[in-house]
Amino acid sequence: NPAFTGPWGGELGIHRAAGRDFPQGGASSTDPAAHWCRPCRRNSLAVMVRYFPQDFPGPDRLPRVLGRPQALALGFTRDAIEHRLRTGRWRLVLPHTYLTSNVLTWADRQNAALAYGGDGALLSSAAALTDTGLRTVPRPDELLVLVPRTATATTRQWVRIRRTDRMPEPAVFLGPARADFARAVADLALERRRTDDVRALVTQAIRAKLCTVEELSVQLAEGPRRHSRNLRLAVEEVSDGAWSAPEARAGRLLRASGVPPFEQNARIDLPDGGFVVADFLWRALRAVLEIDSVEHHFLTPAQREATDDKHLRLMAADYAVAHRTPWAISQQPTRFVRGVESWLAARARQFAA
């Protein structure tokens, strides 16, 4: 066929002509049955997949991960799939799920888990949150995938399948499909057993604006009650104003001790026209308690300078300022509470005099 000679030539010309000029079956250009070449009994869509990457994803542009239904839809026969697996061009990474490249990356694992889960599958828990920048959520060894109750996939290898009647909305986020972040945070919180780990997760997620206290409250109301205590506690503490796990722990200790009422992360307007946010504020006593972690206050010279500057500005505005560390709160809670009580009592005596 002269129309398909030149740079294409030979077999390509024949099969492109066959695929376009001698279709059999439906008229859809993506239906393999519509591209069966009568003269040589070959599937011309598979030929076009091979030679026409601008129209179809060819070998150099195939998705790195393919489920069997996707591969069949692209025109690969079962024999062609088995041949690629047998020769090492593709790898079987999960049942009926293939890697078409050499190295299985983190994104490949996410996409493979979704392909294995089937239509409507969504990543959740750490698998959904680890790409968002939360410091407390490393990449997990096992990926949680939510699927509709009617799905047939089961837990295999490094993919944990959870069938649910409460399929969430997908998060608006680049990359593999994942549950909305409130659901992902709730699912991960239910897996964590240490209260401080759940506190850190919840406070970081809310400060990063991945979800809101109200959205997490809905998850608590609708989700399972088993193992939900830590999540419920963390949501209550954030509602009271905590911005970090140490602040949340300190707030709970101080409320239980009977110290005068306080505000958490309260704004203080200063005489110079600026303002600062105090971790704990007893406004009537003009007393401020700061929880100073190494990570946020002393890791760099700039952090140390900002901490010292805040202290001086508060002192210049006639506020008493005390500093405690997360270590003191977690390792010596009784001593921490007694120290704050004594400091506040002394401050009250100063105001009485």
Side-chain angles (χ1 to χ4, degrees):
N1 186 334
F4 298 102
T5 56
W8 307 110
E11 179 190 39
L12 178 58
I14 294 171
H15 289 283
R16 188 178 185 194
R20 300 293 170 89
D21 299 341
F22 304 102
Q24 180 175 326
S28 169
S29 62
T30 59
D31 177 8
H35 296 278
W36 191 261
C37 175
R38 291 181 182 177
C40 63
R41 309 299 299 167
R42 290 186 61 182
N43 187 324
S44 62
L45 179 60
V47 174
M48 286 190 285
V49 163
R50 179 179 176 188
Y51 287 107
F52 287 85
Q54 71 272 27
D55 296 326
F56 298 87
D60 294 333
R61 297 183 59 188
L62 280 175
R64 291 176 58 88
V65 172
L66 282 175
R68 179 179 285 264
Q70 293 172 286
L72 294 173
L74 285 173
F76 293 100
T77 64
R78 286 175 170 76
D79 287 343
I81 293 171
E82 293 303 320
H83 174 73
R84 281 162 175 76
L85 292 172
R86 191 167 53 251
T87 58
R89 291 174 62 185
W90 291 4
R91 287 169 50 194
L92 186 69
V93 291
L94 287 167
H96 308 301
T97 309
Y98 317 114
L99 178 70
T100 64
S101 187
N102 295 323
V103 179
L104 184 69
T105 66
W106 167 247
D108 293 336
R109 293 184 69 204
Q110 291 175 302
N111 286 318
L114 291 171
Y116 172 66
D119 291 342
L122 295 171
L123 299 171
S124 192
S125 189
L129 295 169
T130 190
D131 302 324
T132 63
L134 297 182
R135 299 187 309 277
T136 59
V137 187
R139 289 178 178 175
D141 294 328
E142 186 177 72
L143 282 67
L144 176 63
V145 176
L146 304 181
V147 298
R149 181 69 66 184
T150 55
T152 58
T154 58
T155 295
R156 292 289 185 91
Q157 301 175 47
W158 39 268
V159 176
R160 182 157 46 98
I161 297 292
R162 178 178 296 167
R163 293 189 183 88
T164 178
D165 295 319
R166 296 192 309 120
M167 280 301 294
E169 292 295 320
V172 180
F173 195 79
L174 292 176
R178 62 199 73 206
D180 69 78
F181 291 125
R183 176 62 176 273
V185 168
D187 283 343
L188 181 54
L190 294 176
E191 297 173 7
R192 291 187 167 180
R193 297 293 175 261
R194 293 183 66 249
T195 303
D196 276 356
D197 290 343
V198 177
R199 283 173 170 147
L201 170 65
V202 170
T203 54
Q204 286 182 22
I206 290 176
R207 292 198 70 185
K209 301 187 185 304
L210 296 180
C211 58
T212 65
V213 172
E214 292 74 18
E215 289 169 338
L216 288 178
S217 297
V218 170
Q219 292 298 324
L220 275 169
E222 297 180 353
R225 296 187 60 83
R226 187 181 183 192
H227 300 312
S228 66
R229 177 184 175 278
N230 288 339
L231 177 58
R232 196 174 305 278
L233 185 69
V235 170
E236 290 174 0
E237 291 169 343
V238 173
S239 298
D240 289 334
W243 282 3
S244 69
E247 286 181 19
R249 178 187 283 269
R252 185 160 290 273
L253 289 171
L254 293 173
R255 288 187 186 90
S257 72
V259 300
F262 54 84
E263 302 169 53
Q264 277 188 266
N265 290 296
R267 173 172 170 149
I268 300 174
D269 294 310
L270 300 175
D272 61 9
F275 72 91
V276 296
V277 176
D279 292 346
F280 292 86
L281 171 64
W282 288 264
R283 203 173 288 275
L285 297 175
R286 298 183 74 82
V288 170
L289 172 63
E290 293 286 281
I291 310 300
D292 294 343
S293 66
V294 172
E295 180 181 8
H296 293 294
H297 293 269
F298 304 109
L299 201 59
T300 66
Q303 289 177 337
R304 179 58 188 262
E305 185 65 24
T307 299
D308 291 345
D309 180 68
K310 181 179 179 180
H311 180 98
L312 289 174
R313 294 175 72 193
L314 286 167
M315 293 290 288
D318 197 28
Y319 283 87
V321 185
H323 298 266
R324 301 300 287 165
T325 65
W327 183 89
I329 297 165
S330 63
Q331 301 301 314
Q332 298 179 326
T334 302
R335 186 168 182 266
F336 162 73
V337 170
R338 288 176 179 171
V340 173
E341 288 175 334
S342 298
W343 170 64
L344 291 174
R347 186 65 174 166
R349 288 193 295 270
Q350 289 176 359
F351 271 78

